[in-house]
Amino acid sequence: MASVKTTGAERRLKIAVFISVAFLMSTAFVSVAFPPPSAAQEDDLGLGATLGLVRQSASVESDGFIEITLDWTGPITDNLFLSVLFHQRINDAEDLDAAATSILNRRDPVPLTAFGTDADGNLVATIPVRSVSPAADDRVYLPGPGVYPFTVEIRSADGPVASLTSTIVRLPQDRSTMATVDMAVVLALSPADGLDLSDGLWFLTTYPDVPFTIQMGEALVSQLEQDEPLAQQFATAAGGRVILSDAGLDLDPSALEEINQGQFFTAAVATTNQRLTRLGLQPSSDVVMLSPDLTAGGAALLAESGVIAVLSTRTTEIETGIITTPRGSVGLVQADHEMTAALSATGSKPFATSDVYALYSRLSLLAESDQTPVILGGEGTEPLDSQSLDTFLAALVENGPIRPVSLSEAVEGQRRNPLLAAERPEQDLVTTGDAIAELQQLAETSRSFRGVDNPELERLLANSLSRSRNPDDRTRAIDRAKAELLADLASISLPTEASITLTAVEGPLPLTIRNTADGPRRVLLEFRGDRVAIAQNNEVVVVPPGETTIELDAEARALGVSTLDVTARTPDGTRVLSTSRYQIRSTAVPGLGWAISGTALAFLLLWWYQNSRNAKPRGPHLVGLRRSSLPAPADTDPGVAADALLASESI
């Protein structure tokens, strides 16, 4: 048989074709498209079995071990094998949602019977990792720190039966060089949806080192106030971690500041914080939750009250940053809705373990790029699922890429880009501004009258200004609040008039006061009278419920009948509660009267005495006679005549 010789060109062509075919075959082998992450995938061979991810190592040391726990509902036999494929490292969070294609490393299939199981019958696979290549062992080579997708397959002799995909974070050998991202978890507790109070107790006790910010509304605060043992248990579990509450705070600070009534908001915040403090909890002092937009006035009001940031509770994403005013600056922050959704579970989106580990990987990638702190959970986001959150928190490792921090710390690290304040508040309170001002004055008067904080009053005031009310409802609520305040102020009454006789200069004067309120009230007493002085004038007395008689110290200044006007006011002096007039009859001479009378008598006696001593005998007073006209009698003795002459000269 004759041989056929080939030319060099033909040989080169055959080699090229061979290489092309080999390349296509290898590509077909290593470029198998795998489904995106899922909780479980049904098999393709009709076994009726599913493969689900129960838990896994979220991160692995450079030369450590990856542990994967699988929920396999099919048979465990020598005819079924488990294989793990590791894909190329990804550097962008967007690639987490893409199907993994290129294969970096494949673990040879191992019979299912070679794997152990946990107490629930789940398969447990342990995969060693190496950071150096080449190596003589069969450890999986992950060439450097980063996020690696991997696919787990259950295979038979005929091909894949079921598979799932997840991700693993390979840590650097030197942890000190690892980039980290701060993450704050807002543990929103609500009896309606998401986590309830028992869930909160479990998380606070199970993860005592995680600096949760605990969010609770009016319903849970009231529940704790009514159950002291439960409140003590919760306070112990909270361990000083900050409470963020909007109980009684459905108010718009911007709208209130527009009508110069911002004190309503700060008073409501103070009341809520006092309620939390009485429960043994630590209220947040520098972060508040708000939904409405902030005007410059609203931001200034918050800044002056010590607030550094507002956590927006809007269900849609907003622009975050900082609002600066001449009176201070306030940051506007928001929880990450997309990342929080990875830890939620609803009817249409059941719990998926792979979503949790994808979130862990996403945060790890964020640490390499942005490093802006992330806030997870809170009002306005999808409710956290307890199983998802537990899986995520259990995956956190010490000195890992994700650093749990408090909400205040996360706020401090947010972007500081400037924001423009809203031009007008969302709520219009201008039309009821005068009525609100009058209500505020009444509220201040009531506080001085009661002498203690009145949570019911604060809630009543806040309710009348609630953002959820329309103008007509608000007017009715304000009128209702005023009526209740005025009714309380009308609880104090004095007798219309009374008559009293004072038999001594100083003595007791009884004053009867009636209090129809359900608690003690503080009253300022004023007394006006020209002839009677009261020692307790302008003093504040505490009047218990019922009828009370107070012994006043009276001093009479004059004899006779006089009037004493009595006025009961609120302690701030702004409102007259009741008046009375006493007819006072004094039968005792006051000490001053005795002193004046005695002094006058002594003066008269002294005058009489002095005049009686200075008086001299007087001779006859002869009118119209002169010495020259007095004849001297002839028979008069010369001595006698001389005496007569001297007497006449002295006249």
Side-chain angles (χ1 to χ4, degrees):
M1 183 175 180
S3 63
V4 179
K5 297 182 65 175
T6 59
T7 65
E10 290 174 335
R11 285 196 299 270
R12 287 192 294 272
L13 178 61
K14 289 181 179 180
I15 293 172
V17 171
F18 176 79
I19 293 174
S20 299
V21 172
F23 175 77
L24 290 174
M25 292 179 64
S26 64
T27 303
F29 177 76
V30 300
S31 298
V32 180
F34 295 97
S38 60
Q41 180 180 340
E42 294 185 1
D43 69 87
D44 300 324
L45 300 182
L47 293 179
T50 58
L51 178 65
L53 179 63
V54 177
R55 58 185 167 272
Q56 67 168 74
S57 304
S59 60
V60 62
E61 298 282 356
S62 57
D63 292 280
F65 295 87
I66 301 173
E67 187 172 282
I68 306 173
T69 302
L70 301 167
D71 178 18
W72 167 243
T73 61
I76 299 178
T77 67
D78 292 335
N79 298 325
L80 293 176
F81 303 87
L82 187 144
S83 177
V84 182
L85 295 79
F86 287 87
H87 305 280
Q88 293 288 349
R89 179 174 52 194
I90 59 177
N91 300 310
D92 196 321
E94 294 181 358
D95 295 335
L96 287 169
D97 299 325
T101 55
S102 58
I103 296 176
L104 172 68
N105 205 316
R106 176 193 288 271
R107 291 278 294 174
D108 292 334
V110 178
L112 295 187
T113 53
F115 295 96
T117 58
D118 63 9
D120 297 323
N122 299 312
L123 290 173
V124 179
T126 301
I127 303 170
V129 172
R130 58 184 169 88
S131 59
V132 179
S133 179
D137 54 50
D138 61 349
R139 291 179 297 168
V140 172
Y141 173 53
L142 300 181
V147 176
Y148 293 86
F150 66 88
T151 301
V152 179
E153 292 181 332
I154 300 292
R155 303 178 65 89
S156 69
D158 298 323
V161 175
S163 66
L164 60 82
T165 300
S166 186
T167 56
I168 185 76
V169 177
R170 210 219 83 174
L171 303 175
Q173 290 180 321
D174 184 2
R175 295 283 190 91
S176 63
T177 63
M178 181 175 56
T180 61
V181 62
D182 290 347
M183 173 208 64
V185 177
V186 179
L187 204 61
L189 307 181
S190 170
D193 54 14
L195 306 177
D196 58 20
L197 195 57
S198 60
D199 292 325
L201 284 169
W202 187 87
F203 277 106
L204 293 171
T205 305
T206 305
Y207 297 99
D209 297 327
V210 176
F212 295 111
T213 295
I214 309 163
Q215 178 194 322
M216 59 175 61
E218 178 63 42
L220 284 184
V221 173
S222 298
Q223 181 181 352
L224 293 177
E225 288 174 331
Q226 297 167 12
D227 191 335
E228 184 176 352
L230 179 61
Q232 292 177 348
Q233 180 186 7
F234 189 84
T236 301
R241 283 172 280 197
V242 171
I243 306 294
L244 192 62
S245 178
D246 60 353
L249 286 177
D250 186 25
L251 302 174
D252 185 346
S254 298
L256 290 169
E257 185 67 10
E258 187 180 35
I259 59 171
N260 298 318
Q261 295 297 329
Q263 66 273 10
F264 271 106
F265 184 83
T266 54
V269 171
T271 299
T272 298
N273 290 346
Q274 289 168 4
R275 294 173 66 191
L276 295 174
T277 301
R278 285 193 292 267
L279 291 171
L281 302 174
Q282 177 63 49
S284 172
S285 60
D286 53 4
V287 180
V288 297
M289 294 187 301
L290 284 178
S291 173
D293 292 334
L294 275 181
T295 63
L301 172 66
L302 296 178
E304 289 176 341
S305 63
V307 173
I308 64 172
V310 171
L311 178 63
S312 174
T313 59
R314 287 190 182 274
T315 56
T316 56
E317 292 188 4
I318 63 168
E319 185 179 1
T320 60
I322 188 167
I323 299 175
T324 302
T325 75
R327 293 157 54 190
S329 301
V330 171
L332 188 60
V333 300
Q334 187 178 37
D336 192 298
H337 286 217
E338 182 181 356
M339 292 192 184
T340 301
L343 298 179
S344 66
T346 61
S348 59
K349 177 188 171 298
F351 166 71
T353 311
S354 54
D355 289 346
V356 176
Y357 296 111
L359 172 62
Y360 188 97
S361 297
R362 187 181 299 273
L363 288 170
S364 300
L365 291 171
L366 187 64
E368 295 288 346
S369 56
D370 193 337
Q371 294 187 339
T372 300
V374 174
I375 302 171
L376 301 177
E379 184 179 346
T381 64
E382 294 186 28
L384 295 175
D385 172 67
S386 58
Q387 187 177 0
S388 299
L389 181 59
D390 179 35
T391 302
F392 177 73
L393 295 176
L396 300 178
V397 295
E398 187 176 359
N399 297 324
I402 304 170
R403 189 174 76 98
V405 298
S406 67
L407 180 60
S408 295
E409 290 178 278
V411 164
E412 289 288 350
Q414 294 291 316
R415 295 186 182 92
R416 312 294 290 179
N417 55 291
L419 287 179
L420 291 177
E423 294 183 1
R424 291 294 308 277
E426 294 181 14
Q427 185 183 23
D428 180 15
L429 295 178
V430 174
T431 55
T432 52
D434 292 341
I436 292 172
E438 183 181 356
L439 181 62
Q440 169 65 9
Q441 180 59 53
L442 272 176
E444 293 296 334
T445 297
S446 177
R447 290 188 188 96
S448 71
F449 180 52
R450 298 175 68 96
V452 294
D453 291 327
N454 183 4
E456 290 299 327
L457 171 62
E458 299 299 338
R459 281 194 281 271
L460 185 66
L461 295 175
N463 186 46
S464 66
L465 299 172
S466 171
R467 293 188 303 110
S468 59
R469 291 189 176 277
N470 60 46
D472 291 339
D473 285 343
R474 182 171 300 108
T475 299
R476 285 191 290 269
I478 291 174
D479 291 342
R480 190 180 309 115
K482 287 171 57 179
E484 292 196 23
L485 290 173
L486 291 174
D488 187 47
L489 292 171
S491 61
I492 295 296
S493 61
L494 300 172
T496 305
E497 58 183 20
S499 297
I500 294 177
T501 299
L502 293 178
T503 59
V505 175
E506 294 181 353
L509 189 153
L511 174 65
T512 300
I513 306 177
R514 180 181 294 276
N515 176 12
T516 59
D518 57 358
R521 296 295 184 264
R522 301 170 71 244
V523 177
L524 173 66
L525 296 177
E526 293 181 354
F527 303 94
R528 295 184 183 276
D530 294 336
R531 299 183 180 182
V532 178
I534 304 298
Q536 290 82 5
N537 187 32
N538 289 324
E539 287 189 4
V540 175
V541 297
V542 178
V543 183
E547 191 170 282
T548 301
T549 299
I550 301 174
E551 294 290 338
L552 303 174
D553 298 324
E555 179 183 354
R557 293 176 175 173
L559 286 168
V561 178
S562 62
T563 59
L564 178 68
D565 292 325
V566 183
T567 302
R569 295 180 180 271
T570 53
D572 61 0
T574 61
R575 198 169 196 87
V576 174
L577 303 173
S578 183
T579 60
S580 179
R581 171 166 289 188
Y582 276 59
Q583 294 290 334
I584 308 295
R585 179 182 298 276
S586 176
T587 60
V589 179
L592 180 60
W594 283 115
I596 294 174
S597 299
T599 302
L601 179 60
F603 177 79
L604 289 174
L605 290 174
L606 179 62
W607 179 82
W608 177 79
Y609 175 74
Q610 290 291 339
N611 278 275
S612 64
R613 287 191 59 186
N614 293 333
K616 297 180 180 180
R618 300 176 63 90
H621 187 68
L622 302 179
V623 181
L625 297 179
R626 299 179 182 275
R627 283 185 296 175
S628 58
S629 63
L630 293 176
D635 57 352
T636 303
D637 184 85
V640 174
D643 291 338
L645 179 61
L646 289 173
S648 66
E649 289 177 350
S650 64
I651 294 176

